[in-house]
Amino acid sequence: MNWKKVALALLLVLVVMTVAACSKETQESPAQTEPKPAPVNEVVEIEFWHAMGGSLGEELNILVDDYNKSQDKVKVTAHYQGSYEELLTKFRTVGGTKNAPAVVQVFEVGTKYMIESGHITPVQDWVDRDNYDLSQLEENILSYYTVDGKLYSMPFNSSTPALFYNKDAFREVGLDPDNPPQTFNEITTIAALLTTSDRYGFSTIGHGWFFEQLLATQGANYVNENNGRTGDATEVLFNGPEGLKIFEWINDMHLAGTYGYFGRSWDDARAAFQAGQVAMYMDSSAATKALVENAPFDVGVTFIPYADDTERHGVIIGGASLWMANGISEAEQAAAWDFMKYLQTPSVQAKWHVNTGYFAINPQAYDDPLVQQEHEKYPQLRVPIDQLQATKKSTATQGALMTVFPEARQYVVTAFENMYQGMDPKAALNEAAELTNRALDIYHRTK
Amino acid sequence: MNEVMEKIERYQVPKKENLWQKTANLRTSILYLSPAIVLFSVFVFYPMFKTVYLSFFLTDARGNAALFVGLENYLYLFDSTSFKKSMKATWLFALYTVPSIVLISFFLALLANEKLRGIGFFRTIFTSTMGMSVAASAVIWLFLFHPTVGVLNTLLGYLGIRPIPWLLDSKWALVSIAITTIWMNIGFSFLIILGGLQNISQDLYESARIDGAGYFYQLFRITIPLLSPTLFFILIITFINSFQSFGQVDILTKGGPAEATNLIVYAIYQDAFINYQFGTASARAVILFFMVLGLTLLQFKFLEKKVHYQ
């Protein structure tokens, strides 16, 4: 059994070499990159919790590193905390204490919860203290996070939905690829033309966000009390005629076999689109660059469809924003504010926009040569920006505020799925409304 | 006579013990048990009582008990269609998975118990799923079931069969999750049953063969009766596992489509950590607890009689 000993020896040598190589690396690199001596006792260290996984997380870490290198007063440590829901659950346990992270990223539907949590300082306080000029930021994005005239959190990663379509499939059936459908009826007609034995004409991702958008673009509110913007919502309105129109529209296509459902996973719907199994579908604008780059065909992007008998009202901002915790010291809050301001500078926004597809919160970023170049290469990136800037400001497009939003989304998705299994559109929608009303009722009783 | 009594009294252990002496045994036993008692109290008993407590309350947006509502959470659940769906799915899931897991692993264990060349290789293969985490196995199956690039549908395509909407149709989704669960749990059951088989004394088979008993006679008269304690154990464990399946549901379907795979544990998770309704979530948990308890008691009452302990 001599060979066994040899193998063992070889393995040992390998392990030792790897360890040596690793330790060498860690010894050398700081010496190369950090020659400047930082005044140790003055550095304020703050934590930043975020929910950006995968490549988005990598991009975010680059921004944080750049910030840390750009000055020597503040050191931000970014911590990935899982999905938006998981992050919020973790924040609940430390919110309001000294252990709370100074900056925390929360998804848009968590806005109302955060305001009521009592664990945050409105960003407006620092805007006023610092005389920060908010007018340099995109108004349509700020309006979502502004409640009672106060900006509560700093917008960060914002996106809207868009309609993505396969231009090659359009040409194949003799349609003009530069003249995509704009209304519900046009989608229905064109989806029928595009459907073949192995391709569906139209699809949406199984997520409540798209229903909210299709409702908003008809100018309809999701809940009462002016979409929860002037008071606490007590009842949902999404099962009104506008909501039913969306359900019936999709149900008609589903029954006609021109609508394909690929589940609740964003990636599965994207995969189906890229594999040519569906010709048109709605997705987040944050996916634009990846889709255009990866699809083996020409990808077209256009505004989301609107109902034929109304005008187009536009879209609600989605994504997440940055919140400032209030249990921490003032120095830490000042550091957090400085970090937020840094993230809003045009050059940082340009980099973030180009590398992820999220909007630039600071529109000056669109004049940055980096962005100009990228927009020339991918003209599709312009469409969501135009769509956002064309949005009419109203409570419908400002987006609904309620604490039980995540729950409402689930009920809406289940209603769609019930409908695909043969339930009557109206009954399915009303069931979702009843369940959401109960959640609202519990919220009011326990407040 | 007096002398004798005196001697007895002298050597007898004094009858009067004080409380301290009386409880000597109890105190020693508690000392030995204390690590377990402390751990169980912190991680099992406290959460259990807290769950029962919360089930009588509505919780606010932060998850604190805010309003005592008595049995409202329970009454709401028994009245709600989504809870009925969830119950039905849970029972169907147990029905799909438990018998299949026990039968398949028993069959594989019988095969692997034969003394053949290279049987060690097969034993390793059959147990290999045990070394995989729920998340990893579920992700593997996620790709097998994938609507666009899934291997299963591609294979069906070669046979000229239309693709099956594994995770997208409410009729198929539960079956798909059951298949995943069966695959995941076979390794463990196989190992335990194989261990049980190897514990059966060879003498019994030898004498049976001398008496001219065939393979199936040996199987039903020797193997199964002597294996019954192991099979009983596996049955109970698999039942409880199937009632507590969570990871594969979370990764494969998230309870959808149309709540067809919203097993009770997943419904608890959704209520508690997505909707922050800890009251109804706790009520569901209490119901689950009594279901599992009742089922285990029933199994002990009816099946244990048939178990042959050596």
Side-chain angles (χ1 to χ4, degrees), chain A residues 424-443:
Chain A
D424 176 58
K426 194 167 184 174
L429 184 59
N430 282 337
E431 192 181 271
E434 266 168 41
L435 289 167
T436 313
N437 280 336
R438 176 179 183 267
L440 280 170
D441 180 49
I442 288 182
Y443 161 75

Side-chain angles (χ1 to χ4, degrees), chain A residues 85 88-89 92 113 116-117 261-264 268 271-272 275 277 403 406-407 410 414 417-418 421 435 438-439 442 445-446, chain B residues 58-63 66-67 69 72 76 85 146-148 168 170 254 256-259 270 273-278 280:
Chain A
E85 284 91 354
L88 203 56
T89 307
R92 287 148 45 107
Y113 169 77
E116 288 174 4
S117 73
Y261 183 57
F262 296 90
R264 301 182 183 200
D268 287 355
Q277 290 181 348
T403 314
E407 199 170 347
Q410 272 177 58
T414 303
E417 287 176 346
N418 281 333
Q421 304 297 332
L435 289 167
R438 176 179 183 267
I442 288 182
R445 285 165 64 191
T446 56
Chain B
L58 289 180
T59 53
D60 63 15
R62 260 165 278 167
L67 184 70
V69 290
E72 189 191 301
Y76 166 73
K85 270 190 196 168
H146 198 282
T148 309
L168 301 176
S170 59
K254 298 214 178 291
E259 295 185 83
Q270 262 192 337
F273 297 109
I274 296 177
N275 304 341
Y276 302 130
Q277 306 277 10
F278 289 91
T280 29

Side-chain angles (χ1 to χ4, degrees), chain A residues 125-444:
Chain A
D125 291 4
W126 283 88
V127 171
D128 296 343
R129 246 172 103 157
D130 205 25
N131 280 325
Y132 183 73
D133 179 18
L134 277 180
S135 67
Q136 59 178 314
L137 305 183
E138 172 80 49
E139 194 201 348
N140 284 323
I141 298 176
L142 287 178
S143 79
Y144 189 102
Y145 302 102
T146 306
V147 180
D148 296 333
K150 239 186 196 178
L151 183 69
Y152 271 88
S153 59
M154 192 56 110
F156 175 57
N157 56 319
S158 294
S159 56
T160 56
L163 180 72
F164 293 82
Y165 61 98
N166 181 338
K167 284 191 174 179
D168 289 7
F170 269 54
R171 288 191 196 99
E172 188 189 302
V173 296
L175 289 164
D176 177 9
D178 296 318
N179 187 16
Q182 300 295 330
T183 68
F184 286 6
N185 283 344
E186 282 172 34
I187 294 255
T188 311
T189 320
I190 288 183
L193 290 173
L194 286 165
T195 301
T196 63
S197 62
D198 52 1
R199 182 176 67 208
Y200 290 106
F202 185 66
S203 178
T204 51
I205 297 163
H207 194 286
W209 192 50
F210 296 98
F211 174 74
E212 291 151 28
Q213 301 287 351
L214 290 170
L215 199 65
T217 199
Q218 300 181 52
N221 284 342
Y222 199 79
V223 289
N224 65 357
E225 296 291 334
N226 291 318
N227 239 359
R229 292 273 168 180
T230 54
D232 276 331
T234 55
E235 207 184 349
V236 299
L237 300 175
F238 66 68
N239 58 336
E242 293 90 354
L244 187 61
K245 209 181 289 165
I246 300 165
F247 266 66
E248 281 174 343
W249 168 55
I250 288 182
N251 195 39
D252 287 346
M253 281 190 283
H254 184 252
L255 291 178
T258 57
Y259 175 87
Y261 183 57
F262 296 90
R264 301 182 183 200
S265 154
W266 298 67
D267 289 331
D268 287 355
R270 282 169 195 167
F273 178 67
Q274 287 175 9
Q277 290 181 348
V278 60
M280 300 183 286
Y281 87 117
M282 290 199 294
D283 199 339
S284 163
S285 60
T288 310
K289 193 172 166 189
L291 283 173
V292 173
E293 263 182 350
N294 298 337
F297 47 80
D298 236 358
V299 176
V301 182
T302 186
F303 292 12
I304 62 165
Y306 61 99
D308 297 71
D309 48 1
T310 54
E311 55 177 340
R312 172 180 266 144
H313 286 256
V315 287
I316 315 170
I317 200 75
S321 60
L322 304 181
W323 294 76
M324 191 186 283
N326 68 354
I328 54 174
S329 73
E330 197 171 312
E332 285 174 312
Q333 282 202 336
W337 171 242
D338 192 59
F339 176 56
M340 286 182 182
K341 274 196 302 188
Y342 171 82
L343 290 178
Q344 301 301 346
T345 49
S347 63
V348 174
Q349 285 292 313
K351 210 169 155 189
W352 177 245
H353 166 66
V354 163
N355 291 331
T356 63
Y358 281 116
F359 287 117
I361 310 296
N362 191 330
Q364 287 170 49
Y366 296 134
D367 302 330
D368 193 284
L370 182 70
V371 178
Q372 297 276 339
Q373 216 179 343
E374 196 74 5
H375 281 184
E376 226 162 89
K377 202 166 149 200
Y378 303 107
Q380 293 96 332
L381 282 172
R382 276 288 335 161
V383 178
I385 300 169
D386 294 339
Q387 182 178 230
L388 182 67
Q389 287 173 349
T391 292
K392 295 192 173 75
K393 200 174 163 181
S394 70
T395 53
T397 55
Q398 206 179 358
L401 274 186
M402 62 170 162
T403 314
V404 299
F405 221 138
E407 199 170 347
R409 280 191 169 169
Q410 272 177 58
Y411 295 141
V412 168
V413 174
T414 303
F416 271 110
E417 287 176 346
N418 281 333
M419 184 176 79
Y420 303 146
Q421 304 297 332
M423 198 165 166
D424 176 58
K426 194 167 184 174
L429 184 59
N430 282 337
E431 192 181 271
E434 266 168 41
L435 289 167
T436 313
N437 280 336
R438 176 179 183 267
L440 280 170
D441 180 49
I442 288 182
Y443 161 75
H444 282 285

Side-chain angles (χ1 to χ4, degrees), chain B residues 127-141:
Chain B
T127 38
S128 60
T129 57
M130 214 176 99
M132 307 243 326
S133 69
V134 175
S137 350
V139 169
I140 292 176
W141 282 92

Side-chain angles (χ1 to χ4, degrees), chain B residues 97-123:
Chain B
T97 53
V98 177
S100 328
I101 290 172
V102 175
L103 285 177
I104 295 174
S105 25
F106 181 49
F107 176 70
L108 290 179
L110 280 179
L111 287 182
N113 197 31
E114 298 296 324
K115 289 188 181 59
L116 295 169
R117 262 174 72 89
I119 198 72
F121 172 74
F122 289 98
R123 286 180 187 168

